[in-house]
Amino acid sequence: MRFLLSRLLEPSTWAGLTGLSVSLGMSPDVMHELAQAGAAVASLAAMALPERAARGRRNDDISGQP
């Protein structure tokens, strides 16, 4: 479940779903409505899910150096 939610929060997932839907013949009006609904769900998930730091790294370490 966590994997699915993390993918839904990525812009590339929405771009892929849009491209797939258009290629399968979905009308732009329907796609617009689905995109709005998906954005609402992703926004709710972003508010509800806790943020977690990467394992073994501190939150303030942005350099990537050990």
Side-chain angles (χ1 to χ4, degrees), residues 9-65:
L9 296 175
E10 294 179 0
S12 60
T13 301
W14 293 103
L17 287 173
T18 300
L20 181 64
S21 298
V22 169
S23 69
L24 294 176
M26 187 176 290
S27 74
D29 292 333
V30 172
M31 190 59 219
H32 177 73
E33 297 299 324
L34 290 176
Q36 283 186 319
V41 170
S43 296
L44 288 172
M47 291 188 300
L49 296 174
E51 294 183 25
R52 298 178 191 208
R55 291 183 189 204
R57 295 179 70 192
R58 295 183 358 192
N59 286 339
D60 59 349
D61 181 19
I62 60 172
S63 67
Q65 300 294 323

